[in-house]
Amino acid sequence: GINAEYMGHYYQNTQGIIFVVDSNDRERIDDSQGAENSARSELQRMLAEDELRNAVLLVFCNKQDLPNAMSVQQVTEKLGLNQIRNRQWYIQATCATTGDGLYEGLDWLSNTLKK
């Protein structure tokens, strides 16, 4: 793991978080399958960091090209995004290998940070 002390410095002055989720990995998306470091718990841990309290959140729902990938709606639900309060967030379907969705997500981030 990464030294927690180092992470504290790493988060300083962070305005935006880009959280990439493998939408094909149903086992590690949340704790329902007994995963220890699920995507959901990692995200919650990050959002609880004091240095990140003002950061906006962009979630890339990656591997959308795969036939068994979870939908954006399913990932939103499993990550508990609708429970997030006092923070702007956006989830974007992406396929990193083709670049699909990446620009749309980064556009949202850029426009949101300009406000």
Side-chain angles (χ1 to χ4, degrees):
I2 295 174
N3 177 321
E5 198 174 20
Y6 169 74
M7 285 305 273
H9 299 296
Y10 180 73
Y11 285 150
Q12 257 176 342
N13 304 319
T14 301
Q15 295 174 298
I17 303 162
I18 299 176
F19 193 76
V20 182
V21 177
D22 179 346
S23 61
N24 202 47
D25 191 347
R26 292 169 189 272
E27 281 181 17
R28 295 201 358 241
I29 188 85
D30 62 15
D31 307 334
S32 64
Q33 307 287 323
E36 272 183 38
N37 292 324
S38 69
R40 182 179 179 134
S41 60
E42 287 294 321
L43 180 60
Q44 285 172 341
R45 199 172 301 134
M46 277 177 79
L47 297 182
E49 290 284 340
D50 202 40
E51 290 94 344
L52 297 178
R53 69 183 175 279
N54 297 320
V56 300
L57 171 66
L58 168 60
V59 177
F60 277 146
C61 185
N62 199 32
K63 300 195 182 175
Q64 284 293 294
D65 54 319
L66 298 179
N68 294 322
M70 290 173 281
S71 68
V72 165
Q73 193 180 348
Q74 286 174 303
V75 172
T76 298
E77 218 166 275
K78 297 217 177 261
L79 290 180
L81 296 180
N82 289 322
Q83 280 84 59
I84 294 175
R85 300 283 171 262
N86 309 320
R87 186 188 305 270
Q88 282 185 283
W89 63 268
Y90 184 73
I91 184 166
Q92 174 68 51
T94 56
C95 172
T97 52
T98 61
D100 285 352
L102 296 178
Y103 287 110
E104 292 87 335
L106 293 172
D107 271 349
W108 174 85
L109 188 60
S110 168
N111 291 332
T112 305
L113 292 177
K114 278 180 200 158
K115 287 174 188 164

